[in-house]
Amino acid sequence: MNKANKKELGVGIFFALLSIFYIVQSRNVSTFTPFGNRGLDSQSIPAMIGWLSIALSAILIVTTILKDRKEKKGTGGQNEQICDPDQVACIDPPKGAKLQGILQVVPLKLMLSLLFLFFYFLFYQRIGFILSSIFYLLSQSFLLTEKGKRKKWALFIILFSIGVSVLIYFIFTRYFTLFLPRGILG
Amino acid sequence: MLGMLLEGFGAVFTDPLSILMIIVGTSVGIVFGALPGLTTVAGLSMFLPITYAMSSGTGLSMLTAIYIGGMSGGLVSAILLNIPGTPSSIATCFDGSPMAKNGQAGRALGLAVFASLIGTAISLLFMVVLSPTLANLTIKFGPWEYFSVTVFALTLISSLTGKSIVKGLLSALFGMMFATVGLSPIDSAKRFTFGSLQLTSGFNLLAVLVGLYAISEVLSTAGSEQEKAQVREYKMRGLGFTLKDLKGQGINFVRSSLIGLGIGILPGIGGSTSNIIAYSVAKTSSKHPEKFGTGIPDGIIASEASNNASIGGAMIPLLTLGIPGDGATAILLGGFMLHGMQPGPLLFQSNGATVYQIFASMILSMIVMALVMYLGMRAIVKVLKVPANILLPLIVVLCAIGAYALNNRVFDMWGLILFGIIGLAMSKAGVPAPPFILGFILESAFETNLRRGLEYSNGNFQEVFTRPISAMFLVLAIVSLAATLYKQYKPKKATSEE
């Protein structure tokens, strides 16, 4: 199976599993029909969405498998290479190949960005808007700056992170009468 | 009516503060609309208390100016950043961003501003002239009519699905699944809350939109090793486009504006839905639907004309019935009440002069919006033209403020991460995001009206076919679905015959 078909199959399986989970959970929804059931209750629409989703996932899975078979038949083995097992040599994958493969799918910068975002939201209320924003802006800006240019940008990023966080806080709380958490500075 | 409108213009032009507030309000609205994470609704709610110190006419003029500016400002970031500044400019990304990518950002911006101007002008004309008649029609809508309109809107998803209709529909159902989290309509039963009190109120639309579009865009840029700012270069001479670009677009302008106007009138469905529907209708009825998404004027015009046209549409039920058409008009309703006015059928009698002053100020705001956007585009773009390593974290901070300000709780911010990851995964898996949004928005209206209709008719579903308006929308839904299926089947048949 080629990469594109594998992806389609993965999408189909994901949605099928999600739909099953959704249908199972929809059975736990309580229903109220004090005047008799004259139509639909609170379970009906989720059940309908779940079953429709299962049907569409099944269609996606089946059509992907059929498409793959058709493609295999279409090539008629033309691309198949005949190898002599005695001539084939086994080569070990280069060091760090596995890690490289993972990083290609989920780059390190993406993972770190998610982590920074997670900590930013986690401490938003606890340490307050100004401090959490300063830390977030500092870390995320440094991460996104090219390695070689970080020294050049350092002072600007530090001043920018502090200045913008304080400025935003005062503009939004003083002039836009918006509530932002003060945290430990309050 | 004309006399009253002239009196309204007189009231605006004899009050310098009123003119100043219209200019300030429009500019503020444009900036709020242009900055992802800060929406028109956020801008309106932030400026609502400030208007308290002004007279009712001036204060409400400023709020409506923010509304018009905010609805238009979203196009800037949609075209130059590929992030819709407001939910109303989602469809502007589809063709605006590719056009900018092709080195024609100035043309895209010029066309979008012009389409916004035309859309606003058409809708304001309808608002001033036909509001009582149109309001009389929607007042007759019952649950079956709303249900049919929702079904019609849902069938339009099929034309937004991209290459795979199945994946598009799965995306829509995925969106509907998230919309069912929280309290169910009619009987308020807890659904999929897993014992969490926070989940009882469900996921907020703003968190879903910002997460799906802004956060996923930031994460994807962070992961793609792109150093430079994502704001695309633009050159705009004159209006940015030529008359050739407008050739054959007359029907598109009028149709999209009417779609925006019609959807704006229907309570609960506003510009965030109308732009997607107008885009898909333009695509379905186009002679070259395959070109949509590659950067053609048709898509930009459809989206921008319709979202701005929903302004006048949403104002009609607000002014004549006291029913807000969308989130922004809900804040405006608060504005009216703050200034001691009760929108509804009696508003024209009790506060006629103020209402016509608002009409006049909205017409003026429309002109100011076009002038600010054409002449001040350089300044607006400068706001967005900050290096990526500075701009992206700043966008996240602003998005976080927008999400937090919804209910003053961190829970909505977690929604940003959740939908950011979902958006990123969907884009990697080739699952289109627009059907997800439409499914999320329409689920509530679909379920509420279907259940309410069945309750009213004692479980008899056939009643939906006996009501002329609902039957008409159902027929339109069938025609729309059949047209999409036919269009998808036709090229396949042609290729197989070859």
Side-chain angles (χ1 to χ4, degrees):
Chain A
M1 190 173 272
N2 64 31
K3 230 179 177 181
N5 287 347
K6 267 185 191 171
K7 198 197 260 183
E8 294 285 292
L9 197 65
V11 171
I13 292 169
F14 168 78
F15 276 113
L17 292 174
L18 179 80
S19 312
I20 293 167
F21 173 75
Y22 186 76
I23 290 172
V24 171
Q25 288 301 322
S26 72
R27 301 226 166 144
N28 297 333
V29 174
S30 50
T31 55
F32 306 103
T33 47
F35 308 109
N37 199 347
R38 291 187 298 181
L40 304 172
D41 55 36
S42 46
Q43 278 186 7
S44 312
I45 300 294
M48 196 186 86
I49 293 170
W51 284 112
L52 261 172
S53 189
I54 279 198
L56 286 168
S57 311
I59 291 172
L60 188 63
I61 292 169
V62 172
T63 49
T64 308
I65 292 170
L66 289 176
K67 191 180 149 200
D68 188 65
R69 278 188 190 171
K70 211 177 168 184
E71 278 171 4
K72 274 182 185 165
K73 270 188 187 175
T75 52
Q78 281 171 6
N79 295 333
E80 280 175 23
Q81 290 179 330
I82 300 160
C83 301
D84 180 356
D86 295 332
Q87 300 282 320
V88 177
C90 293
I91 306 164
D92 285 329
K95 250 188 175 180
K98 265 192 177 174
L99 184 69
Q100 278 292 325
I102 295 168
L103 289 179
Q104 256 186 1
V105 181
V106 192
L108 188 67
K109 274 191 179 179
L110 172 65
M111 287 196 282
L112 282 173
S113 295
L114 266 172
L115 200 71
F116 291 159
L117 204 59
F118 175 81
F119 282 114
Y120 177 41
F121 291 170
L122 190 68
F123 292 109
Y124 199 77
Q125 191 110 40
R126 292 176 199 186
I127 66 168
F129 172 81
I130 294 180
L131 285 180
S132 61
S133 297
I134 289 173
F135 287 127
Y136 175 73
L137 286 171
L138 269 173
S139 49
Q140 188 68 54
S141 300
F142 270 113
L143 179 75
L144 292 176
T145 310
E146 218 175 300
K147 265 187 185 174
K149 292 179 181 171
R150 277 180 191 160
K151 265 192 178 174
K152 191 182 141 193
W153 276 90
L155 186 66
F156 177 79
I157 290 175
I158 293 168
L159 290 176
F160 170 80
S161 306
I162 298 169
V164 159
S165 304
V166 174
L167 191 74
I168 288 179
Y169 181 82
F170 279 104
I171 289 177
F172 279 84
T173 51
R174 289 272 170 92
Y175 300 106
F176 296 158
T177 57
L178 203 78
F179 172 77
L180 288 173
R182 286 181 189 174
I184 52 172
L185 292 181
Chain B
M1 184 196 293
L2 198 65
M4 291 284 277
L5 191 62
L6 285 173
E7 275 178 35
F9 273 112
V12 172
F13 284 115
T14 50
D15 182 9
L17 184 69
S18 192
I19 298 174
L20 182 71
M21 286 305 125
I22 287 170
I23 296 169
V24 170
T26 313
S27 309
V28 164
I30 291 170
V31 171
F32 266 80
L35 284 172
L38 289 180
T39 58
T40 318
V41 180
L44 280 167
S45 38
M46 285 173 198
F47 277 82
L48 185 64
I50 296 169
T51 66
Y52 191 66
M54 302 170 193
S55 71
S56 56
T58 310
L60 288 165
S61 296
M62 187 189 188
L63 290 177
T64 49
I66 294 174
Y67 185 25
I68 291 174
M71 199 62 99
S72 315
L75 67 91
V76 183
S77 48
I79 291 168
L80 298 180
L81 280 170
N82 195 24
I83 300 173
T86 60
S88 312
S89 45
I90 294 168
T92 312
C93 294
F94 302 164
D95 274 289
S97 179
M99 193 182 271
K101 220 176 180 177
N102 297 337
Q104 297 175 314
R107 185 180 168 218
L109 289 168
L111 276 168
V113 175
F114 187 70
S116 298
L117 180 72
I118 298 293
T120 315
I122 292 177
S123 80
L124 292 188
L125 184 77
F126 269 84
M127 180 186 78
V128 175
V129 180
L130 293 175
S131 58
T133 323
L134 285 170
N136 278 340
L137 182 74
T138 51
I139 206 169
K140 287 175 189 163
F141 271 34
W144 285 126
E145 282 77 14
Y146 281 118
F147 167 73
S148 307
V149 172
T150 318
V151 170
F152 172 56
L154 282 168
T155 58
L156 290 171
I157 288 173
S158 54
S159 58
L160 291 168
T161 51
K163 284 177 188 170
S164 165
I165 195 165
V166 177
K167 272 161 86 174
L169 290 171
L170 274 170
S171 170
L173 289 169
F174 194 28
M176 289 176 92
M177 283 180 190
F178 278 101
T180 56
V181 174
L183 295 177
S184 69
I186 315 277
D187 50 12
S188 298
K190 279 184 186 172
R191 297 194 296 201
F192 312 105
T193 56
F194 305 103
S196 157
L197 192 70
Q198 312 268 35
L199 276 175
T200 314
S201 53
F203 292 103
N204 191 282
L205 177 63
L206 184 85
V208 176
L209 286 168
V210 173
L212 214 60
Y213 281 94
I215 301 293
S216 73
E217 182 77 19
V218 170
L219 291 175
S220 124
T221 312
S224 63
E225 297 284 335
Q226 284 166 325
E227 275 298 322
K228 296 283 172 195
Q230 289 302 293
V231 185
R232 296 199 174 95
E233 289 297 327
Y234 83 99
K235 274 182 187 171
M236 200 158 78
R237 279 183 188 173
L239 295 177
F241 59 91
T242 57
L243 281 176
K244 207 177 157 190
D245 287 322
L246 302 180
K247 202 181 166 189
Q249 297 292 350
I251 294 174
N252 192 11
F253 270 116
V254 176
R255 182 186 52 219
S256 304
S257 301
L258 292 179
I259 288 172
L261 182 82
I263 287 171
I265 290 170
L266 300 175
I269 317 174
S272 53
T273 310
S274 72
N275 75 106
I276 300 176
I277 291 178
Y279 182 87
S280 57
V281 170
K283 188 180 172 183
T284 314
S285 52
S286 170
K287 285 176 189 167
H288 45 79
E290 73 287 348
K291 284 186 184 170
F292 275 72
T294 60
I296 57 167
D298 310 45
I300 299 171
I301 290 169
S303 171
E304 282 306 316
S306 67
N307 66 22
N308 274 63
S310 63
I311 294 171
M315 288 297 287
I316 293 168
L318 174 76
L319 293 170
T320 56
L321 299 165
I323 300 170
D326 57 8
T329 41
I331 309 288
L332 284 177
L333 179 67
F336 274 97
M337 291 162 90
L338 193 76
H339 287 278
M341 293 159 73
Q342 180 59 52
L346 295 173
L347 184 69
F348 285 83
Q349 290 170 23
S350 56
N351 297 89
T354 314
V355 171
Y356 279 93
Q357 186 185 346
I358 293 166
F359 283 171
S361 73
M362 286 182 84
I363 295 167
L364 191 66
S365 303
M366 172 189 79
I367 298 162
V368 170
M369 175 272 290
L371 285 174
V372 169
M373 293 197 82
Y374 276 125
L375 303 175
M377 187 58 81
R378 209 170 282 269
I380 301 164
V381 171
K382 266 194 181 166
V383 178
L384 301 173
K385 210 172 180 181
V386 186
N389 58 339
I390 301 296
L391 177 72
L392 297 182
L394 187 63
I395 286 177
V396 172
V397 170
L398 293 174
C399 289
I401 292 175
Y404 184 79
L406 288 170
N407 301 300
N408 288 337
R409 58 177 190 172
V410 180
F411 173 77
D412 292 312
M413 296 164 74
W414 292 118
L416 292 186
I417 294 193
L418 173 70
F419 291 104
I421 295 171
I422 288 174
L424 195 67
M426 281 169 76
S427 124
K428 295 244 178 204
V431 179
F436 180 99
I437 299 291
L438 210 56
F440 184 86
I441 293 172
L442 292 175
E443 193 283 332
S444 168
F446 173 82
E447 182 172 6
T448 309
N449 292 302
L450 175 60
R451 289 182 64 185
R452 198 171 282 161
L454 284 169
E455 294 262 338
Y456 287 172
S457 62
N458 280 320
N460 179 17
F461 186 72
Q462 287 174 354
E463 201 168 284
V464 73
F465 303 106
T466 60
R467 301 172 74 96
I469 297 172
S470 64
M472 182 193 78
F473 276 107
L474 283 182
V475 169
L476 280 175
I478 293 164
V479 169
S480 135
L481 201 63
T484 313
L485 283 172
Y486 176 73
K487 282 204 172 181
Q488 287 222 338
Y489 171 72
K490 205 179 158 188
K492 278 183 189 170
K493 198 184 164 189
T495 0
S496 61
E497 274 172 4
E498 278 169 23

